[in-house]
Structures are given as structure tokens and as C-alpha cells.
Amino acid sequence: WFWWAVAEAAAEGTGNRAPNRAAQVATAVSETPRDSTWAQIPNAWYELTPEDLDVGEDRGVCGINSLTVTSKASACRLRIAFPQGRRAVCSGWIIGTDTVGTAGHCIYNKEAGGYARQIYVDCGEEDACEASDDTYNAVKWVTTEGWIENGHTEGCSRFSNDGAVIKVDRTFRRRDVLTVEPYSCERNIDFTVTGYPGSTGQECSSYTSCVQKTASGSIMCPSSILNGCGLLSSSTLDGCAGMSGSALINSSSKKVVGIYAAQRMGFICANYYAFLTEGPSEEGVDIWDLQDALE
């Protein structure tokens, strides 16, 4: 089951890029229609119900740590409307002065009409429902070719390219930009995930997608890249619906190395992350290509 959530990552300080990288992004970038006007959609419009979430039965918290309240300026909540009426809440992270990283399934859903129609981005607050000064309108968004081609298929491998970048209408007021780096397997390293969980199920019933939460835990290495799936996994990092797109941050380097993509596939209680990669690859997300596509 995938989660409506978003991730945080940044383009600054990421080192040299591989020359002549093969483009991984989709050929089409979605933009706000020029002839449309933005109407402020109230938070109540995004109240979560089982029908709206469309993530199957509630999966609840899946990990050994409790989620704690935080107020990280780099974390964002996404409010999303799709062409066929479906609405969603995700999480994300500030990757540039006016760009946010998140999961591909947060902004592109083939069954819901393709690219999202409207996206609001609420950043840097403990309570996103009170973030009126830090609410931004998305003007462009793009995901990977891999997600567009395979996101609607069965199997865990569809999440391996589950990444996206969103450009907003102005510079972030609180610019706590996260840096990103390709994932490399390291032992005895803790990770954190920060997002805005929301759920209607018993275990997450108090999570309304308003309050920012952070979990910490470990990723088993080297067996954490699932055979045939191209994903990282963890059974110690908590997560709930609404946290899709959150940044997986290496607690040692303080850099984003992955994107929260899915949870509890099959009968295994674990959270899954698309890892960041640079250059041509069938697995992982080249976040640098996605940023270039929005220039």
C-alpha cells in the first residue's frame, strides 16, 4: 500500500554531478493552467476519510518508535487535488529556495486522471493547519518516467522510481534547505523521517495531517535493498498515511538519501523508501534530473 506523503531534500552542496546523465524525468512537466485562478481551498476540504485516502484499510503505525511532535522548518505538507476529484495529503521537504521534493505518487496518479490539478504546500510549522504565512501555490511539478510508466502496475518494484519535485510561486520565507546525496550502504547509522501523518484508522486516529511528526530508526544493511524491488526497508521507522514523500535523512551526514514511498506490502510490517541515485539507473530516483526539468 502506498502512502500519500511527501519528502524533503535540497540541491545545494551536493557535489559534482555526473556528466551527460540519461534523463530520468518525464517528458511532460505539469503546470498550473494559465487560464485558471487559484481559489484557496480550506483545510476542512482535505479532512481525511477512508474514501478519500484510497490506501485500502488503515495500516497504522508500523515500527517500534512512537512519532514525536517537531517543528522542522524544512518539512512541508502537501494538499493535492487530482483531475477526477480525488484529493490527497502528502508530505515533502524543501530542496531549493522555491522547490520541494516528494513522492511521485503524490503528484501523479493514472487512475485519478494523471498529474495533479492543484497543489498547496504548507511549510515549516508544527501545525500545518495554522501555516497561513507559509502556504504556497505550486506552479510546476514533475515525476520520473519510471513512475508514470509503472506506478499503476502491481508489485513492489513500481515504487523504486517514486520521486517528484514541485516548484512553488515564490521563495520560501523560512529557507531551511536540505542537502541530498546518493544513498550508500552504511552500518550502524540511524535515520529520521519527518512528515504530516493523517489517518482514520484506530492506531492513527489522532493524526489529522495538521501536526508535524518525526520518527527515528535504522535501515538494515546490506539486505535493506529488497531483492527485485529496488527499495530500502525499515521495521523501526514509524509511519502513517500522509507521510508519503517525506525525506529519509541520514542522521550522521544530515543529508537526504531517500523518499518515503510505501508501507506494509503483503504481510510484512515495514516502511519502504525509494533511494536517491545519480546518473542512469533503472532503480532509484535521480532528484537532480527532476530539479533540472523545472528550470
Side-chain angles (χ1 to χ4, degrees):
W1 299 97
F2 59 77
W3 295 87
W4 298 113
V6 186
E8 308 169 303
E12 299 178 6
T14 56
N16 296 326
R17 302 183 182 182
N20 301 318
R21 302 193 312 281
Q24 188 193 55
V25 301
T27 54
V29 175
S30 183
E31 299 187 44
T32 303
R34 295 182 182 276
D35 58 352
S36 69
T37 57
W38 285 91
Q40 179 63 42
I41 301 175
N43 284 299
W45 196 81
Y46 290 90
E47 289 179 354
L48 303 178
T49 68
E51 293 77 18
D52 295 333
L53 280 177
D54 192 36
V55 292
E57 63 183 274
D58 174 67
R59 298 292 182 170
V61 174
C62 189
I64 64 172
N65 304 293
S66 60
L67 295 166
T68 58
V69 177
T70 52
S71 57
K72 297 182 179 181
S74 57
C76 304
R77 179 185 67 162
L78 308 183
R79 292 177 286 148
I80 307 142
F82 286 94
Q84 296 181 2
R86 186 177 298 176
R87 55 202 184 192
V89 174
C90 277
S91 299
W93 31 275
I94 296 177
I95 192 173
T97 57
D98 61 355
T99 51
V100 170
T102 188
H105 71 258
C106 292
I107 62 116
Y108 183 91
N109 186 312
K110 184 176 181 179
E111 295 180 352
Y115 271 113
R117 176 175 55 85
Q118 289 184 326
I119 303 173
Y120 290 117
V121 180
D122 310 310
C123 290
E125 296 290 344
E126 175 183 318
D127 189 339
C129 292
E130 300 296 330
S132 58
D133 293 335
D134 291 288
T135 293
Y136 304 83
N137 296 330
V139 294
K140 291 183 180 181
W141 43 97
V142 66
T143 186
T144 66
E145 290 181 354
W147 176 254
I148 289 179
E149 294 174 358
N150 304 313
H152 63 286
T153 62
E154 297 295 329
C156 60
S157 61
R158 68 187 188 276
F159 293 110
S160 64
N161 302 132
D162 191 9
V165 172
I166 298 168
K167 185 179 181 66
V168 298
D169 58 345
R170 65 189 189 278
T171 300
F172 290 115
R173 186 173 67 91
R174 300 170 64 187
R175 288 178 285 179
D176 189 355
V177 178
L178 293 178
T179 55
V180 299
E181 65 181 1
Y183 172 79
S184 61
C185 183
E186 297 180 70
R187 295 184 182 275
N188 303 317
I189 298 294
D190 285 335
F191 296 83
T192 61
V193 175
T194 300
Y196 292 86
S199 178
T200 57
Q202 181 177 358
E203 293 181 84
C204 295
S205 60
S206 62
Y207 298 160
T208 61
S209 82
C210 290
V211 180
Q212 183 186 117
K213 301 273 189 174
T214 295
S216 61
S218 61
I219 290 180
M220 297 299 293
C221 179
S223 60
S224 56
I225 299 181
L226 302 179
N227 184 27
C229 291
L231 294 169
L232 303 176
S233 67
S234 173
S235 60
T236 64
L237 281 163
D238 282 332
C240 275
M243 293 182 71
S244 285
S246 300
L248 178 68
I249 300 176
N250 182 315
S251 296
S252 177
S253 68
K254 308 299 182 184
K255 296 180 180 180
V256 180
V257 297
I259 302 170
Y260 188 18
Q263 192 251 19
R264 200 184 292 215
M265 291 183 284
F267 298 100
I268 301 174
C269 188
N271 293 305
Y272 300 91
Y273 308 86
F275 60 88
L276 300 188
T277 185
E278 189 173 17
S281 176
E282 293 183 0
E283 298 177 346
V285 175
D286 188 337
I287 203 77
W288 297 271
D289 264 352
L290 292 172
Q291 288 181 283
D292 291 344
L294 296 184
E295 292 297 326

